[in-house]
Amino acid sequence: MSKVTNKLLENVAKLRQSLDRLSKSNEKLTNARIGLEKAQRDKINMINERMGNINIKKWIEKNGRK
């Protein structure tokens, strides 16, 4: 094979390696984003639950137990 063909094959191999690294990086970023979104949902749910309990307590204090 000619030098040009060898050089092209080397470049193709390098491109494939780069694509593999980008794919792995993208997968890690996606997993991190999913984890962050879950943590945010959990925090919002906890806050909503606490606010609900506070509102119930305020209602009971204001209206008495019924």
Side-chain angles (χ1 to χ4, degrees):
M1 284 194 270
S2 70
K3 290 181 180 181
V4 173
T5 304
N6 285 338
K7 189 65 175 173
L8 286 171
L9 289 173
E10 287 175 17
N11 288 339
V12 168
K14 289 178 184 177
L15 284 171
R16 284 186 180 159
Q17 290 173 350
S18 294
L19 284 173
D20 287 342
R21 283 194 306 272
L22 285 170
S23 178
K24 288 177 185 176
S25 177
N26 187 41
E27 186 176 335
K28 288 178 183 179
L29 287 170
T30 300
N31 290 338
R33 182 184 50 80
I34 290 168
L36 178 60
E37 288 173 355
K38 183 185 180 316
Q40 288 172 333
R41 279 193 310 273
D42 290 347
K43 185 174 183 176
I44 289 169
N45 289 340
M46 181 198 66
I47 290 169
N48 286 338
E49 184 179 321
R50 289 181 69 193
M51 291 304 296
N53 290 338
I54 291 169
N55 289 336
I56 290 170
K57 288 178 185 177
K58 285 181 181 178
W59 186 89
I60 290 171
E61 290 171 0
K62 182 178 176 184
N63 299 302
R65 290 198 174 265
K66 293 185 181 181

